[in-house]
């Protein structure tokens, strides 16, 4: 998904997740575990973390016990801490279906 390709301009990010799910199932895999870490100073995400988790569960056809979403700050260090950017780390394991 090249960011310079006009086909992807303004596309809802759920479309990328749906595509990844299709590829995963085509090759005979399912989600083992997903761990998402959001790193940002603001906004505080506690109020919408459950909705984010529910959306991941729905898009990847998995269960609640296989998805973890957490957030932390960067203690005002570098561009993340200075509110100029944010970061998201995702670790996902796959299992044979």
């Amino acid at each position: 998904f090249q960011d310079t390709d006009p086909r992807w301009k303004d596309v809802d990010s759920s479309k990328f997740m749906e595509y990844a799910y299709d590829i995963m199932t085509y090759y005979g895999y399912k989600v083992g575990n997903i761990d998402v870490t959001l790193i940002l100073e603001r906004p505080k995400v506690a109020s919408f973390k459950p909705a984010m988790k529910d959306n991941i569960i729905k898009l990847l056809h998995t269960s609640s016990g296989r998805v973890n979403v957490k957030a932390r700050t960067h203690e005002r260090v570098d561009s993340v801490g200075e509110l100029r950017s944010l970061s998201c780390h995702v670790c996902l394991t796959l299992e044979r279906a």
Side-chain angles (χ1 to χ4, degrees):
F1 305 108
Q2 294 179 340
D3 61 356
T4 57
D5 188 333
R7 290 179 298 170
W8 307 120
K9 183 172 176 53
D10 299 324
V11 172
D12 187 312
S13 61
S14 66
K15 298 302 177 196
F16 302 113
M17 294 274 285
E18 290 167 356
Y19 179 77
Y21 176 79
D22 290 344
I23 297 296
M24 178 182 72
T25 57
Y26 175 81
Y27 284 101
Y29 288 93
K30 66 179 183 177
V31 170
N33 185 55
I34 303 171
D35 187 67
V36 178
T37 303
L38 301 165
I39 306 169
L40 66 166
E41 299 294 322
R42 279 187 269 167
K44 299 300 182 191
V45 297
S47 64
F48 51 90
K49 277 193 326 188
M52 293 171 70
K53 180 176 177 174
D54 289 344
N55 198 38
I56 293 167
I57 291 166
K58 182 184 82 168
L59 288 168
L60 296 180
H61 308 271
T62 193
S63 62
S64 177
R66 294 181 179 262
V67 178
N68 182 44
V69 177
K70 58 187 177 281
R72 60 188 282 281
T73 67
H74 219 234
E75 304 299 326
R76 299 189 176 144
V77 175
D78 69 23
S79 64
V80 174
E82 294 170 356
L83 306 174
R84 294 184 291 122
S85 64
L86 57 88
S87 181
C88 178
H89 300 176
V90 178
C91 183
L92 181 135
T93 59
L94 298 177
E95 298 175 350
R96 280 282 182 193

